[in-house]
Amino acid sequence: QQQVKQSPQSLIVQKGGIPIINCAYENTAFDYFPWYQQFPGKGPALLIAIRPDVSEKKEGRFTISFNKSAKQFSLHIMDSQPGDSATYFCAASKGGADGLTFGKGTHLIIQP
Amino acid sequence: SQTIHQWPATLVQPVGSPLSLECTVEGTSNPNLYWYRQAAGRGLQLLFYSVGIGQISSEVPQNLSASRPQDRQFILSSKKLLLSDSGFYLCAWTHRYGRAFAQETQYFGPGTRLLVL
């Protein structure tokens, strides 16, 4: 059973556009929702994270929107650049030591 | 600052051979440690985690085992590799104490790409 569903699987956007990646979760015990960025052959790096007590969080060009009632959250990348081309993973945690549950990832290509 | 190391970076092994992947963390103490496997198009699958020396929790029963002989060292092993063990293996750590965000933020190593032939 996949507890975090991520879409789309792949996405192509023109430079300057705003790619949006969506995730939905089922477990209401989740209370921490990070996004990771991964370049080919590298480990994932934390991009931005949110807790369900806020509906939006912005860090630079990256914004998380969170809808607690719908159990959905999304990543928006403003003014996207070719250097943003990477695989993006959403994840969720219910605290404790047992780690994160990841979505399957979105392969994003920003065309110049 | 904290740093996480993994080696080797790449490994090609025949089916049935043993495996040992190592992960070490510098610049922190008492971390929680994690092993993930990443297969193409399937995201990251948590294999093992550890909250302390000698303490290992397994998330997915399979051909692999993990050990934590020292506070900042985490080892992934297999006695006999299968073709299905091929993948990108990632080690990660979190703070065990401190503010909640710090405890939950996972930092990943550079990964080991394993190809079993």
Side-chain angles (χ1 to χ4, degrees), chain A residues 31-32 36 38 41-44 46 49 51 89 93 95 97-100 102 104, chain B residues 32 34 36 38 43-44 46 49 51 88 90 100-101 104-106 108-110:
Chain A
D31 65 356
Y32 171 71
Y36 282 81
Q38 185 179 30
K42 305 294 184 183
L46 178 69
R51 289 205 184 278
F89 292 95
S93 168
D98 58 349
L100 298 167
F102 283 87
K104 290 191 174 182
Chain B
N32 291 334
Y34 304 83
Y36 289 88
Q38 185 175 27
L44 291 91
L46 178 63
Y49 69 91
V51 298
F88 192 43
L90 290 156
F101 251 70
E104 291 171 310
T105 300
Q106 290 201 5
F108 285 84

PDB file of all heavy atoms in Angstrom, chain A residues 31-32 36 38 41-44 46 49 51 89 93 95 97-100 102 104, chain B residues 32 34 36 38 43-44 46 49 51 88 90 100-101 104-106 108-110:
ATOM      1  N   ASP A  31       2.760  14.237  10.147  1.00  0.00           N
ATOM      2  CA  ASP A  31       2.761  15.636  10.559  1.00  0.00           C
ATOM      3  C   ASP A  31       4.004  16.400  10.116  1.00  0.00           C
ATOM      4  O   ASP A  31       4.283  17.495  10.628  1.00  0.00           O
ATOM      5  CB  ASP A  31       2.586  15.735  12.079  1.00  0.00           C
ATOM      6  CG  ASP A  31       3.755  15.127  12.839  1.00  0.00           C
ATOM      7  OD1 ASP A  31       4.665  14.563  12.198  1.00  0.00           O
ATOM      8  OD2 ASP A  31       3.760  15.223  14.080  1.00  0.00           O
ATOM      9  N   TYR A  32       4.731  15.844   9.185  1.00  0.00           N
ATOM     10  CA  TYR A  32       5.923  16.524   8.669  1.00  0.00           C
ATOM     11  C   TYR A  32       6.055  16.124   7.219  1.00  0.00           C
ATOM     12  O   TYR A  32       6.043  14.935   6.894  1.00  0.00           O
ATOM     13  CB  TYR A  32       7.157  16.091   9.478  1.00  0.00           C
ATOM     14  CG  TYR A  32       8.483  16.553   8.925  1.00  0.00           C
ATOM     15  CD1 TYR A  32       8.856  17.890   8.978  1.00  0.00           C
ATOM     16  CD2 TYR A  32       9.380  15.635   8.368  1.00  0.00           C
ATOM     17  CE1 TYR A  32      10.081  18.303   8.477  1.00  0.00           C
ATOM     18  CE2 TYR A  32      10.591  16.042   7.866  1.00  0.00           C
ATOM     19  CZ  TYR A  32      10.948  17.369   7.927  1.00  0.00           C
ATOM     20  OH  TYR A  32      12.163  17.781   7.430  1.00  0.00           O
ATOM     21  N   TYR A  36      12.309  16.702  -1.434  1.00  0.00           N
ATOM     22  CA  TYR A  36      13.722  16.499  -1.720  1.00  0.00           C
ATOM     23  C   TYR A  36      13.965  16.651  -3.220  1.00  0.00           C
ATOM     24  O   TYR A  36      13.116  16.306  -4.044  1.00  0.00           O
ATOM     25  CB  TYR A  36      14.173  15.096  -1.280  1.00  0.00           C
ATOM     26  CG  TYR A  36      14.397  14.970   0.212  1.00  0.00           C
ATOM     27  CD1 TYR A  36      13.339  14.761   1.089  1.00  0.00           C
ATOM     28  CD2 TYR A  36      15.674  15.073   0.744  1.00  0.00           C
ATOM     29  CE1 TYR A  36      13.547  14.649   2.448  1.00  0.00           C
ATOM     30  CE2 TYR A  36      15.900  14.953   2.106  1.00  0.00           C
ATOM     31  CZ  TYR A  36      14.829  14.739   2.943  1.00  0.00           C
ATOM     32  OH  TYR A  36      15.044  14.633   4.293  1.00  0.00           O
ATOM     33  N   GLN A  38      16.745  15.634  -6.240  1.00  0.00           N
ATOM     34  CA  GLN A  38      17.829  14.702  -6.514  1.00  0.00           C
ATOM     35  C   GLN A  38      18.322  14.861  -7.953  1.00  0.00           C
ATOM     36  O   GLN A  38      17.549  14.759  -8.901  1.00  0.00           O
ATOM     37  CB  GLN A  38      17.385  13.256  -6.287  1.00  0.00           C
ATOM     38  CG  GLN A  38      18.507  12.240  -6.446  1.00  0.00           C
ATOM     39  CD  GLN A  38      18.048  10.818  -6.199  1.00  0.00           C
ATOM     40  OE1 GLN A  38      16.890  10.483  -6.435  1.00  0.00           O
ATOM     41  NE2 GLN A  38      18.952   9.967  -5.742  1.00  0.00           N
ATOM     42  N   GLY A  41      22.705  10.442 -10.113  1.00  0.00           N
ATOM     43  CA  GLY A  41      23.889   9.900  -9.468  1.00  0.00           C
ATOM     44  C   GLY A  41      24.204  10.479  -8.114  1.00  0.00           C
ATOM     45  O   GLY A  41      25.248  10.156  -7.530  1.00  0.00           O
ATOM     46  N   LYS A  42      23.326  11.322  -7.579  1.00  0.00           N
ATOM     47  CA  LYS A  42      23.554  11.955  -6.276  1.00  0.00           C
ATOM     48  C   LYS A  42      22.481  11.551  -5.285  1.00  0.00           C
ATOM     49  O   LYS A  42      21.415  11.070  -5.658  1.00  0.00           O
ATOM     50  CB  LYS A  42      23.541  13.491  -6.425  1.00  0.00           C
ATOM     51  CG  LYS A  42      24.511  14.027  -7.461  1.00  0.00           C
ATOM     52  CD  LYS A  42      25.943  13.799  -7.057  1.00  0.00           C
ATOM     53  CE  LYS A  42      26.896  14.440  -8.055  1.00  0.00           C
ATOM     54  NZ  LYS A  42      28.320  14.162  -7.717  1.00  0.00           N
ATOM     55  N   GLY A  43      22.757  11.762  -4.000  1.00  0.00           N
ATOM     56  CA  GLY A  43      21.736  11.524  -2.993  1.00  0.00           C
ATOM     57  C   GLY A  43      20.731  12.662  -2.961  1.00  0.00           C
ATOM     58  O   GLY A  43      21.039  13.788  -3.364  1.00  0.00           O
ATOM     59  N   PRO A  44      19.517  12.420  -2.502  1.00  0.00           N
ATOM     60  CA  PRO A  44      18.514  13.488  -2.404  1.00  0.00           C
ATOM     61  C   PRO A  44      18.950  14.548  -1.399  1.00  0.00           C
ATOM     62  O   PRO A  44      19.582  14.235  -0.386  1.00  0.00           O
ATOM     63  CB  PRO A  44      17.267  12.748  -1.905  1.00  0.00           C
ATOM     64  CG  PRO A  44      17.507  11.314  -2.215  1.00  0.00           C
ATOM     65  CD  PRO A  44      18.981  11.109  -2.100  1.00  0.00           C
ATOM     66  N   LEU A  46      17.447  17.897   0.911  1.00  0.00           N
ATOM     67  CA  LEU A  46      16.240  18.555   1.392  1.00  0.00           C
ATOM     68  C   LEU A  46      16.087  19.917   0.748  1.00  0.00           C
ATOM     69  O   LEU A  46      17.017  20.718   0.723  1.00  0.00           O
ATOM     70  CB  LEU A  46      16.294  18.701   2.909  1.00  0.00           C
ATOM     71  CG  LEU A  46      15.105  19.419   3.530  1.00  0.00           C
ATOM     72  CD1 LEU A  46      13.850  18.558   3.409  1.00  0.00           C
ATOM     73  CD2 LEU A  46      15.376  19.740   5.000  1.00  0.00           C
ATOM     74  N   ALA A  49      10.349  22.059   3.702  1.00  0.00           N
ATOM     75  CA  ALA A  49       9.472  21.170   4.459  1.00  0.00           C
ATOM     76  C   ALA A  49       8.393  21.990   5.142  1.00  0.00           C
ATOM     77  O   ALA A  49       8.566  23.189   5.409  1.00  0.00           O
ATOM     78  CB  ALA A  49      10.269  20.378   5.489  1.00  0.00           C
ATOM     79  N   ARG A  51       4.830  21.749   8.063  1.00  0.00           N
ATOM     80  CA  ARG A  51       3.971  21.037   9.009  1.00  0.00           C
ATOM     81  C   ARG A  51       2.531  21.435   8.720  1.00  0.00           C
ATOM     82  O   ARG A  51       2.271  22.507   8.176  1.00  0.00           O
ATOM     83  CB  ARG A  51       4.343  21.399  10.444  1.00  0.00           C
ATOM     84  CG  ARG A  51       5.656  20.813  10.881  1.00  0.00           C
ATOM     85  CD  ARG A  51       5.702  20.667  12.385  1.00  0.00           C
ATOM     86  NE  ARG A  51       6.988  20.197  12.856  1.00  0.00           N
ATOM     87  CZ  ARG A  51       7.348  18.932  12.862  1.00  0.00           C
ATOM     88  NH1 ARG A  51       6.539  18.012  12.404  1.00  0.00           N
ATOM     89  NH2 ARG A  51       8.534  18.584  13.324  1.00  0.00           N
ATOM     90  N   PHE A  89      11.110  14.489  -4.959  1.00  0.00           N
ATOM     91  CA  PHE A  89      10.374  13.535  -4.138  1.00  0.00           C
ATOM     92  C   PHE A  89       9.650  14.273  -3.021  1.00  0.00           C
ATOM     93  O   PHE A  89      10.237  15.100  -2.324  1.00  0.00           O
ATOM     94  CB  PHE A  89      11.317  12.519  -3.483  1.00  0.00           C
ATOM     95  CG  PHE A  89      11.971  11.571  -4.442  1.00  0.00           C
ATOM     96  CD1 PHE A  89      13.231  11.836  -4.940  1.00  0.00           C
ATOM     97  CD2 PHE A  89      11.329  10.409  -4.819  1.00  0.00           C
ATOM     98  CE1 PHE A  89      13.848  10.951  -5.823  1.00  0.00           C
ATOM     99  CE2 PHE A  89      11.942   9.523  -5.699  1.00  0.00           C
ATOM    100  CZ  PHE A  89      13.194   9.801  -6.201  1.00  0.00           C
ATOM    101  N   SER A  93       6.194  12.092   7.293  1.00  0.00           N
ATOM    102  CA  SER A  93       6.664  11.431   8.504  1.00  0.00           C
ATOM    103  C   SER A  93       5.648  11.638   9.616  1.00  0.00           C
ATOM    104  O   SER A  93       5.013  12.684   9.691  1.00  0.00           O
ATOM    105  CB  SER A  93       8.023  12.006   8.920  1.00  0.00           C
ATOM    106  OG  SER A  93       8.369  11.593  10.225  1.00  0.00           O
ATOM    107  N   GLY A  95       6.733  11.311  12.725  1.00  0.00           N
ATOM    108  CA  GLY A  95       7.625  11.480  13.854  1.00  0.00           C
ATOM    109  C   GLY A  95       8.222  10.158  14.268  1.00  0.00           C
ATOM    110  O   GLY A  95       7.972   9.134  13.671  1.00  0.00           O
ATOM    111  N   ALA A  97      11.458   7.463  15.060  1.00  0.00           N
ATOM    112  CA  ALA A  97      12.707   7.124  14.388  1.00  0.00           C
ATOM    113  C   ALA A  97      12.524   6.341  13.110  1.00  0.00           C
ATOM    114  O   ALA A  97      13.510   6.065  12.423  1.00  0.00           O
ATOM    115  CB  ALA A  97      13.587   6.316  15.341  1.00  0.00           C
ATOM    116  N   ASP A  98      11.293   5.983  12.759  1.00  0.00           N
ATOM    117  CA  ASP A  98      11.134   5.060  11.641  1.00  0.00           C
ATOM    118  C   ASP A  98      11.150   5.713  10.271  1.00  0.00           C
ATOM    119  O   ASP A  98      10.802   5.101   9.278  1.00  0.00           O
ATOM    120  CB  ASP A  98       9.882   4.203  11.811  1.00  0.00           C
ATOM    121  CG  ASP A  98       8.621   5.029  11.928  1.00  0.00           C
ATOM    122  OD1 ASP A  98       8.733   6.260  12.087  1.00  0.00           O
ATOM    123  OD2 ASP A  98       7.531   4.453  11.853  1.00  0.00           O
ATOM    124  N   GLY A  99      11.550   6.978  10.217  1.00  0.00           N
ATOM    125  CA  GLY A  99      11.896   7.568   8.944  1.00  0.00           C
ATOM    126  C   GLY A  99      10.743   8.099   8.121  1.00  0.00           C
ATOM    127  O   GLY A  99       9.623   8.256   8.589  1.00  0.00           O
ATOM    128  N   LEU A 100      11.063   8.390   6.864  1.00  0.00           N
ATOM    129  CA  LEU A 100      10.144   9.021   5.944  1.00  0.00           C
ATOM    130  C   LEU A 100       9.514   8.007   5.006  1.00  0.00           C
ATOM    131  O   LEU A 100      10.140   7.014   4.639  1.00  0.00           O
ATOM    132  CB  LEU A 100      10.901  10.068   5.113  1.00  0.00           C
ATOM    133  CG  LEU A 100      11.527  11.232   5.884  1.00  0.00           C
ATOM    134  CD1 LEU A 100      12.486  12.002   4.996  1.00  0.00           C
ATOM    135  CD2 LEU A 100      10.450  12.147   6.420  1.00  0.00           C
ATOM    136  N   PHE A 102       8.265   7.963   1.218  1.00  0.00           N
ATOM    137  CA  PHE A 102       8.476   8.777   0.030  1.00  0.00           C
ATOM    138  C   PHE A 102       7.450   8.490  -1.059  1.00  0.00           C
ATOM    139  O   PHE A 102       6.963   7.354  -1.201  1.00  0.00           O
ATOM    140  CB  PHE A 102       9.870   8.503  -0.556  1.00  0.00           C
ATOM    141  CG  PHE A 102      10.982   9.166   0.193  1.00  0.00           C
ATOM    142  CD1 PHE A 102      11.565   8.537   1.281  1.00  0.00           C
ATOM    143  CD2 PHE A 102      11.446  10.407  -0.186  1.00  0.00           C
ATOM    144  CE1 PHE A 102      12.599   9.139   1.976  1.00  0.00           C
ATOM    145  CE2 PHE A 102      12.484  11.019   0.501  1.00  0.00           C
ATOM    146  CZ  PHE A 102      13.060  10.381   1.586  1.00  0.00           C
ATOM    147  N   LYS A 104       6.896   8.392  -5.276  1.00  0.00           N
ATOM    148  CA  LYS A 104       7.720   7.715  -6.279  1.00  0.00           C
ATOM    149  C   LYS A 104       8.582   8.656  -7.098  1.00  0.00           C
ATOM    150  O   LYS A 104       9.393   8.209  -7.907  1.00  0.00           O
ATOM    151  CB  LYS A 104       6.842   6.865  -7.205  1.00  0.00           C
ATOM    152  CG  LYS A 104       6.249   5.646  -6.510  1.00  0.00           C
ATOM    153  CD  LYS A 104       5.624   4.685  -7.506  1.00  0.00           C
ATOM    154  CE  LYS A 104       5.182   3.410  -6.800  1.00  0.00           C
ATOM    155  NZ  LYS A 104       4.612   2.423  -7.749  1.00  0.00           N
TER     156      LYS A 104
ATOM    157  N   ASN B  32      20.278   8.990  14.381  1.00  0.00           N
ATOM    158  CA  ASN B  32      19.512   7.873  13.829  1.00  0.00           C
ATOM    159  C   ASN B  32      20.047   7.646  12.417  1.00  0.00           C
ATOM    160  O   ASN B  32      20.295   8.594  11.680  1.00  0.00           O
ATOM    161  CB  ASN B  32      18.027   8.213  13.762  1.00  0.00           C
ATOM    162  CG  ASN B  32      17.390   8.306  15.139  1.00  0.00           C
ATOM    163  OD1 ASN B  32      17.856   7.694  16.105  1.00  0.00           O
ATOM    164  ND2 ASN B  32      16.326   9.078  15.240  1.00  0.00           N
ATOM    165  N   TYR B  34      19.868   5.358   8.617  1.00  0.00           N
ATOM    166  CA  TYR B  34      18.912   4.704   7.732  1.00  0.00           C
ATOM    167  C   TYR B  34      19.622   4.164   6.487  1.00  0.00           C
ATOM    168  O   TYR B  34      20.546   4.788   5.977  1.00  0.00           O
ATOM    169  CB  TYR B  34      17.830   5.703   7.280  1.00  0.00           C
ATOM    170  CG  TYR B  34      17.109   6.366   8.416  1.00  0.00           C
ATOM    171  CD1 TYR B  34      17.642   7.480   9.045  1.00  0.00           C
ATOM    172  CD2 TYR B  34      15.883   5.870   8.865  1.00  0.00           C
ATOM    173  CE1 TYR B  34      16.987   8.080  10.112  1.00  0.00           C
ATOM    174  CE2 TYR B  34      15.222   6.476   9.921  1.00  0.00           C
ATOM    175  CZ  TYR B  34      15.778   7.575  10.544  1.00  0.00           C
ATOM    176  OH  TYR B  34      15.132   8.164  11.592  1.00  0.00           O
ATOM    177  N   TYR B  36      18.381   3.114   2.597  1.00  0.00           N
ATOM    178  CA  TYR B  36      17.327   3.078   1.604  1.00  0.00           C
ATOM    179  C   TYR B  36      17.874   2.426   0.337  1.00  0.00           C
ATOM    180  O   TYR B  36      19.064   2.485   0.043  1.00  0.00           O
ATOM    181  CB  TYR B  36      16.876   4.493   1.217  1.00  0.00           C
ATOM    182  CG  TYR B  36      16.098   5.240   2.254  1.00  0.00           C
ATOM    183  CD1 TYR B  36      16.733   6.000   3.221  1.00  0.00           C
ATOM    184  CD2 TYR B  36      14.706   5.234   2.234  1.00  0.00           C
ATOM    185  CE1 TYR B  36      16.010   6.712   4.159  1.00  0.00           C
ATOM    186  CE2 TYR B  36      13.967   5.949   3.173  1.00  0.00           C
ATOM    187  CZ  TYR B  36      14.631   6.683   4.122  1.00  0.00           C
ATOM    188  OH  TYR B  36      13.917   7.399   5.049  1.00  0.00           O
ATOM    189  N   GLN B  38      17.039   2.588  -3.858  1.00  0.00           N
ATOM    190  CA  GLN B  38      16.301   3.309  -4.881  1.00  0.00           C
ATOM    191  C   GLN B  38      16.418   2.547  -6.193  1.00  0.00           C
ATOM    192  O   GLN B  38      17.510   2.407  -6.739  1.00  0.00           O
ATOM    193  CB  GLN B  38      16.848   4.730  -5.041  1.00  0.00           C
ATOM    194  CG  GLN B  38      16.063   5.583  -6.002  1.00  0.00           C
ATOM    195  CD  GLN B  38      16.561   7.017  -6.036  1.00  0.00           C
ATOM    196  OE1 GLN B  38      17.723   7.302  -5.762  1.00  0.00           O
ATOM    197  NE2 GLN B  38      15.679   7.939  -6.361  1.00  0.00           N
ATOM    198  N   GLY B  43      11.090   5.203  -6.601  1.00  0.00           N
ATOM    199  CA  GLY B  43      11.271   5.995  -5.400  1.00  0.00           C
ATOM    200  C   GLY B  43      12.252   5.350  -4.433  1.00  0.00           C
ATOM    201  O   GLY B  43      13.051   4.488  -4.800  1.00  0.00           O
ATOM    202  N   LEU B  44      12.175   5.761  -3.190  1.00  0.00           N
ATOM    203  CA  LEU B  44      13.108   5.288  -2.171  1.00  0.00           C
ATOM    204  C   LEU B  44      12.388   4.330  -1.227  1.00  0.00           C
ATOM    205  O   LEU B  44      11.346   4.657  -0.676  1.00  0.00           O
ATOM    206  CB  LEU B  44      13.673   6.455  -1.364  1.00  0.00           C
ATOM    207  CG  LEU B  44      14.622   7.381  -2.108  1.00  0.00           C
ATOM    208  CD1 LEU B  44      13.874   8.526  -2.750  1.00  0.00           C
ATOM    209  CD2 LEU B  44      15.682   7.903  -1.182  1.00  0.00           C
ATOM    210  N   LEU B  46      12.684   2.277   2.254  1.00  0.00           N
ATOM    211  CA  LEU B  46      13.430   2.154   3.507  1.00  0.00           C
ATOM    212  C   LEU B  46      13.707   0.682   3.783  1.00  0.00           C
ATOM    213  O   LEU B  46      12.789  -0.141   3.791  1.00  0.00           O
ATOM    214  CB  LEU B  46      12.632   2.770   4.658  1.00  0.00           C
ATOM    215  CG  LEU B  46      13.265   2.684   6.042  1.00  0.00           C
ATOM    216  CD1 LEU B  46      14.582   3.463   6.087  1.00  0.00           C
ATOM    217  CD2 LEU B  46      12.298   3.198   7.101  1.00  0.00           C
ATOM    218  N   TYR B  49      16.645   0.848   9.773  1.00  0.00           N
ATOM    219  CA  TYR B  49      17.026   2.034  10.513  1.00  0.00           C
ATOM    220  C   TYR B  49      17.561   1.625  11.869  1.00  0.00           C
ATOM    221  O   TYR B  49      17.288   0.524  12.355  1.00  0.00           O
ATOM    222  CB  TYR B  49      15.886   3.047  10.617  1.00  0.00           C
ATOM    223  CG  TYR B  49      14.713   2.647  11.476  1.00  0.00           C
ATOM    224  CD1 TYR B  49      14.658   2.969  12.832  1.00  0.00           C
ATOM    225  CD2 TYR B  49      13.620   1.986  10.911  1.00  0.00           C
ATOM    226  CE1 TYR B  49      13.567   2.629  13.602  1.00  0.00           C
ATOM    227  CE2 TYR B  49      12.523   1.639  11.677  1.00  0.00           C
ATOM    228  CZ  TYR B  49      12.496   1.971  13.028  1.00  0.00           C
ATOM    229  OH  TYR B  49      11.416   1.629  13.784  1.00  0.00           O
ATOM    230  N   VAL B  51      18.600   3.292  15.867  1.00  0.00           N
ATOM    231  CA  VAL B  51      18.595   4.406  16.814  1.00  0.00           C
ATOM    232  C   VAL B  51      19.795   4.355  17.754  1.00  0.00           C
ATOM    233  O   VAL B  51      19.946   5.227  18.612  1.00  0.00           O
ATOM    234  CB  VAL B  51      17.287   4.448  17.636  1.00  0.00           C
ATOM    235  CG1 VAL B  51      16.093   4.656  16.716  1.00  0.00           C
ATOM    236  CG2 VAL B  51      17.122   3.179  18.450  1.00  0.00           C
ATOM    237  N   PHE B  88      20.444   1.564  -6.333  1.00  0.00           N
ATOM    238  CA  PHE B  88      21.197   2.682  -5.772  1.00  0.00           C
ATOM    239  C   PHE B  88      20.900   2.696  -4.275  1.00  0.00           C
ATOM    240  O   PHE B  88      19.750   2.876  -3.869  1.00  0.00           O
ATOM    241  CB  PHE B  88      20.748   3.970  -6.456  1.00  0.00           C
ATOM    242  CG  PHE B  88      21.611   5.169  -6.195  1.00  0.00           C
ATOM    243  CD1 PHE B  88      22.988   5.087  -6.210  1.00  0.00           C
ATOM    244  CD2 PHE B  88      21.036   6.407  -5.948  1.00  0.00           C
ATOM    245  CE1 PHE B  88      23.786   6.192  -5.980  1.00  0.00           C
ATOM    246  CE2 PHE B  88      21.827   7.532  -5.724  1.00  0.00           C
ATOM    247  CZ  PHE B  88      23.202   7.413  -5.738  1.00  0.00           C
ATOM    248  N   LEU B  90      21.254   4.190  -0.553  1.00  0.00           N
ATOM    249  CA  LEU B  90      21.466   5.479   0.093  1.00  0.00           C
ATOM    250  C   LEU B  90      21.430   5.329   1.606  1.00  0.00           C
ATOM    251  O   LEU B  90      20.545   4.682   2.155  1.00  0.00           O
ATOM    252  CB  LEU B  90      20.386   6.467  -0.340  1.00  0.00           C
ATOM    253  CG  LEU B  90      20.480   6.929  -1.793  1.00  0.00           C
ATOM    254  CD1 LEU B  90      19.135   7.404  -2.285  1.00  0.00           C
ATOM    255  CD2 LEU B  90      21.510   8.044  -1.923  1.00  0.00           C
ATOM    256  N   ALA B 100      11.974  19.474  16.930  1.00  0.00           N
ATOM    257  CA  ALA B 100      11.317  18.426  16.146  1.00  0.00           C
ATOM    258  C   ALA B 100      11.752  18.428  14.695  1.00  0.00           C
ATOM    259  O   ALA B 100      11.995  17.381  14.101  1.00  0.00           O
ATOM    260  CB  ALA B 100       9.803  18.581  16.250  1.00  0.00           C
ATOM    261  N   PHE B 101      11.853  19.588  14.089  1.00  0.00           N
ATOM    262  CA  PHE B 101      12.260  19.638  12.688  1.00  0.00           C
ATOM    263  C   PHE B 101      13.639  19.012  12.510  1.00  0.00           C
ATOM    264  O   PHE B 101      13.892  18.306  11.557  1.00  0.00           O
ATOM    265  CB  PHE B 101      12.292  21.087  12.185  1.00  0.00           C
ATOM    266  CG  PHE B 101      11.193  21.420  11.234  1.00  0.00           C
ATOM    267  CD1 PHE B 101       9.890  21.506  11.678  1.00  0.00           C
ATOM    268  CD2 PHE B 101      11.439  21.633   9.898  1.00  0.00           C
ATOM    269  CE1 PHE B 101       8.852  21.803  10.805  1.00  0.00           C
ATOM    270  CE2 PHE B 101      10.424  21.931   9.012  1.00  0.00           C
ATOM    271  CZ  PHE B 101       9.127  22.031   9.454  1.00  0.00           C
ATOM    272  N   GLU B 104      13.524  15.250  12.440  1.00  0.00           N
ATOM    273  CA  GLU B 104      12.888  14.586  11.304  1.00  0.00           C
ATOM    274  C   GLU B 104      13.571  14.855   9.985  1.00  0.00           C
ATOM    275  O   GLU B 104      13.340  14.129   9.019  1.00  0.00           O
ATOM    276  CB  GLU B 104      11.428  15.025  11.230  1.00  0.00           C
ATOM    277  CG  GLU B 104      10.604  14.481  12.391  1.00  0.00           C
ATOM    278  CD  GLU B 104       9.229  15.085  12.443  1.00  0.00           C
ATOM    279  OE1 GLU B 104       9.114  16.323  12.388  1.00  0.00           O
ATOM    280  OE2 GLU B 104       8.263  14.316  12.544  1.00  0.00           O
ATOM    281  N   THR B 105      14.397  15.858   9.901  1.00  0.00           N
ATOM    282  CA  THR B 105      15.063  16.153   8.637  1.00  0.00           C
ATOM    283  C   THR B 105      16.140  15.116   8.362  1.00  0.00           C
ATOM    284  O   THR B 105      17.063  14.956   9.151  1.00  0.00           O
ATOM    285  CB  THR B 105      15.690  17.555   8.674  1.00  0.00           C
ATOM    286  OG1 THR B 105      14.654  18.507   8.887  1.00  0.00           O
ATOM    287  CG2 THR B 105      16.400  17.852   7.366  1.00  0.00           C
ATOM    288  N   GLN B 106      16.008  14.433   7.257  1.00  0.00           N
ATOM    289  CA  GLN B 106      16.985  13.410   6.891  1.00  0.00           C
ATOM    290  C   GLN B 106      17.994  13.973   5.898  1.00  0.00           C
ATOM    291  O   GLN B 106      17.634  14.650   4.957  1.00  0.00           O
ATOM    292  CB  GLN B 106      16.289  12.199   6.278  1.00  0.00           C
ATOM    293  CG  GLN B 106      15.475  11.421   7.290  1.00  0.00           C
ATOM    294  CD  GLN B 106      15.200  10.002   6.865  1.00  0.00           C
ATOM    295  OE1 GLN B 106      15.682   9.538   5.844  1.00  0.00           O
ATOM    296  NE2 GLN B 106      14.414   9.302   7.663  1.00  0.00           N
ATOM    297  N   PHE B 108      21.023  12.837   3.324  1.00  0.00           N
ATOM    298  CA  PHE B 108      21.438  11.660   2.587  1.00  0.00           C
ATOM    299  C   PHE B 108      22.905  11.715   2.182  1.00  0.00           C
ATOM    300  O   PHE B 108      23.456  12.782   1.915  1.00  0.00           O
ATOM    301  CB  PHE B 108      20.583  11.509   1.320  1.00  0.00           C
ATOM    302  CG  PHE B 108      19.199  11.018   1.593  1.00  0.00           C
ATOM    303  CD1 PHE B 108      18.195  11.897   1.957  1.00  0.00           C
ATOM    304  CD2 PHE B 108      18.893   9.666   1.501  1.00  0.00           C
ATOM    305  CE1 PHE B 108      16.911  11.441   2.221  1.00  0.00           C
ATOM    306  CE2 PHE B 108      17.613   9.202   1.755  1.00  0.00           C
ATOM    307  CZ  PHE B 108      16.616  10.091   2.117  1.00  0.00           C
ATOM    308  N   GLY B 109      23.496  10.540   2.107  1.00  0.00           N
ATOM    309  CA  GLY B 109      24.837  10.408   1.586  1.00  0.00           C
ATOM    310  C   GLY B 109      24.831  10.389   0.065  1.00  0.00           C
ATOM    311  O   GLY B 109      23.775  10.480  -0.558  1.00  0.00           O
ATOM    312  N   PRO B 110      26.022  10.247  -0.541  1.00  0.00           N
ATOM    313  CA  PRO B 110      26.128  10.299  -1.999  1.00  0.00           C
ATOM    314  C   PRO B 110      25.646   9.025  -2.697  1.00  0.00           C
ATOM    315  O   PRO B 110      25.455   9.025  -3.904  1.00  0.00           O
ATOM    316  CB  PRO B 110      27.621  10.511  -2.229  1.00  0.00           C
ATOM    317  CG  PRO B 110      28.260   9.929  -1.021  1.00  0.00           C
ATOM    318  CD  PRO B 110      27.326  10.192   0.108  1.00  0.00           C
TER     319      PRO B 110
END
